[in-house]
Amino acid sequence: MAVNEGDFIKLRFTGSYDDVVFDTTEEEKAREEGLYNEKKTYGPIIVRVGGNHIIPGLDEALQGKEVGESGTVEVPPEKGYGAHDESLLKSAPLKNFAQKPVVGTRISSEGQDGTVVNIIGKRAVIDFNHPLAGRTLTYEYTIDGIVEEPIEKVKGLIELYTGKNMDVELNEGILTIILPPGINYDQRWMMARGMLIHQTFEFIPEIMEIILKESYKRPAPVEEPVVEAEEPEAPVVEDAPVSEEQNE
């Protein structure tokens, strides 16, 4: 079966540049390359072909391929993370940093993420380009299958945008997403929620209504440990010495 634009698929991949691996869905590969993250779930991801869920160069390469097919594609900067923009190189005095920065330090400023790429005198040079901007990327990929069930598509979108596995229920077109306790304090969820809802309606026509359900259970009472009183030990009575008169 060929993959077409609009299909939800299960995809495995490893991305690299100049033989340096920067991302992978394979746990063993992540461990080999020193990229393993214990908070990340490894294995195939679910994406919609043509849905801007992966970079354009890889997305385009998947269209027309067969389920089960593996391949390699080179992605130029214009179909990856764009050209390197020199205007996004900024400098800042070292005194502006809470801790003295070094080359490679990641920072966030005015909603932009950047990397310190040089220290010149008392100033740090910060690159606000994406770390992979200007690079030609190589992706090795395998298409594991096409996803047909609406509920599996939803789960794929949730994990793609939030990095979390959430329980979902689908009944007569009404989708209920069971939110983990405290999720509203999660910045990634707050930023992704709107896009998740929008794409669920846009890409999964079987869903007519979405309910976000957050519930809490009363904590079980903490039982005080029962400490049994220890009985006092009987005094040890030593045998009294017997006199010679008593023996008579």
Side-chain angles (χ1 to χ4, degrees):
M1 180 184 293
V3 172
N4 298 307
E5 183 175 355
D7 286 339
F8 278 77
I9 65 171
K10 289 185 177 181
L11 177 70
R12 290 183 287 127
F13 68 84
T14 294
S16 63
Y17 65 89
D18 299 333
D19 295 325
V20 177
V21 173
F22 61 84
D23 193 14
T24 184
T25 59
E26 308 298 312
E27 181 176 339
E28 184 177 349
K29 189 69 173 179
R31 291 183 183 277
E32 289 176 358
E33 301 295 334
L35 299 174
Y36 179 73
N37 182 349
E38 62 181 12
K39 295 182 179 180
K40 179 178 178 178
T41 301
Y42 289 90
I45 62 171
I46 295 176
V47 298
R48 181 183 185 273
V49 178
N52 295 318
H53 293 158
I54 49 180
I55 61 172
L58 177 57
D59 203 346
E60 294 172 6
L62 298 174
Q63 298 182 32
K65 298 298 190 297
E66 296 290 328
V67 171
E69 185 172 344
S70 298
T72 301
V73 59
E74 283 200 352
V75 179
E78 60 270 22
K79 291 190 176 183
Y81 292 93
H84 191 272
D85 187 349
E86 295 296 320
S87 69
L88 294 179
L89 288 172
K90 310 291 183 181
S91 69
L94 297 180
K95 65 181 181 180
N96 286 5
F97 294 82
Q99 296 182 341
K100 185 177 180 180
V102 296
V103 173
T105 298
R106 295 284 294 168
I107 69 163
S108 181
S109 176
E110 298 180 354
Q112 289 183 303
D113 293 326
T115 304
V116 175
V117 294
N118 202 356
I119 304 292
I120 303 175
K122 296 183 178 181
R123 300 186 71 85
V125 180
I126 307 163
D127 189 350
F128 287 100
N129 284 280
H130 188 281
L132 298 175
R135 296 188 183 278
T136 296
L137 310 175
T138 299
Y139 279 90
E140 299 175 3
Y141 65 85
T142 299
I143 303 170
D144 279 356
I146 291 180
V147 179
E148 301 285 0
E149 292 296 323
I151 201 164
E152 293 302 316
K153 294 178 182 179
V154 170
K155 288 182 177 180
L157 290 177
I158 290 173
E159 187 164 355
L160 187 70
Y161 281 109
T162 72
K164 298 181 181 297
N165 292 312
M166 299 185 189
D167 293 330
V168 298
E169 300 169 357
L170 182 58
N171 184 23
E172 297 183 351
I174 300 176
L175 173 71
T176 302
I177 302 176
I178 313 300
L179 302 178
I183 189 67
N184 289 324
Y185 295 100
D186 187 314
Q187 185 176 13
R188 182 174 176 180
W189 162 250
M190 298 304 293
M191 295 176 64
R193 181 177 60 182
M195 181 60 72
L196 172 63
I197 293 172
H198 171 76
Q199 290 202 353
T200 298
F201 285 135
E202 182 180 8
F203 297 148
I204 311 176
E206 296 89 345
I207 295 175
M208 307 305 297
E209 182 180 348
I210 298 174
I211 298 173
L212 302 178
K213 183 178 180 180
E214 187 174 14
S215 63
Y216 297 85
K217 292 183 178 180
R218 179 184 297 276
V222 178
E223 296 183 1
E224 294 292 336
V226 177
V227 180
E228 295 183 0
E230 296 182 359
E231 294 185 6
E233 296 182 359
V236 178
V237 179
E238 297 182 355
D239 292 337
V242 180
S243 65
E244 292 182 359
E245 295 180 354
Q246 288 176 316
N247 284 333
E248 292 178 356

